[in-house]
Amino acid sequence: MTAITDDLPARLLHEENAGWQAILGGQGGAYYQREMTDDGLIIVPGAVITRDEVTAYFDQAAPWESYGIHEPAIIRLGEHAGVVVYKAIARRGEVVAELNMSTTYLFVNGGWRVAARQQSQA
């Protein structure tokens, strides 16, 4: 059993950056299929999306070109869960998305997995 330790902020920010790097590299679908819990959800304005729907979306979407994580905060949820909350700025060509983000991670089978992600326009 692995308890959350003082390295939780660094660990969860590492996980969050890994997701963004996969998206930038055109591997967002594979990443979320692998790194989301089976019942994981992503909540966006107007929709709640399952893991399989997220995978299908990223498999056909153009990758973002850059991103930034600003003002991150980590919330501990017991021994095996945490939430990363931050403002994101992502760019794709002329499109700039400013988002409020939160990702809930669970420690499952030896790794941190995305259980829920919420994003809305900042």
Side-chain angles (χ1 to χ4, degrees), residues 96-113:
V96 177
E98 295 184 29
L99 305 165
N100 293 320
M101 306 284 295
S102 67
T103 306
T104 302
Y105 288 93
L106 297 178
F107 193 80
V108 179
N109 297 326
W112 290 98
R113 303 291 176 250

Side-chain angles (χ1 to χ4, degrees), residues 40-62:
L41 297 171
I42 293 187
I43 302 100
V44 296
V48 176
I49 306 167
T50 67
R51 182 178 76 168
D52 289 340
E53 292 167 331
V54 169
T55 298
Y57 168 79
F58 279 117
D59 284 347
Q60 58 81 34

Side-chain angles (χ1 to χ4, degrees), residues 7 13 15 28 34 39 41-43 58 61 66 71 73 77 80 84 93 96:
D7 70 342
L13 283 171
E15 297 296 333
R34 181 181 67 249
D39 59 351
L41 297 171
I42 293 187
I43 302 100
F58 279 117
S66 66
E71 302 174 36
L77 302 174
H80 300 286
V84 179
V96 177

Side-chain angles (χ1 to χ4, degrees), residues 1-43:
M1 179 146 80
T2 301
I4 292 176
T5 63
D6 289 338
D7 70 342
L8 180 69
R11 179 79 254 160
L12 294 187
L13 283 171
H14 172 81
E15 297 296 333
E16 198 68 18
N17 279 294
W20 277 105
Q21 289 297 318
I23 293 167
L24 267 60
Q27 299 298 312
Y31 175 85
Y32 283 103
Q33 187 65 37
R34 181 181 67 249
E35 299 299 330
M36 284 182 78
T37 60
D38 291 345
D39 59 351
L41 297 171
I42 293 187
I43 302 100

Side-chain angles (χ1 to χ4, degrees), residues 64-68 70 88-99 121-122:
W64 289 96
E65 296 165 3
S66 66
Y67 76 97
H70 305 276
I89 298 175
R91 290 181 174 78
R92 180 189 300 136
E94 298 295 317
V95 175
V96 177
E98 295 184 29
L99 305 165
Q121 296 291 21

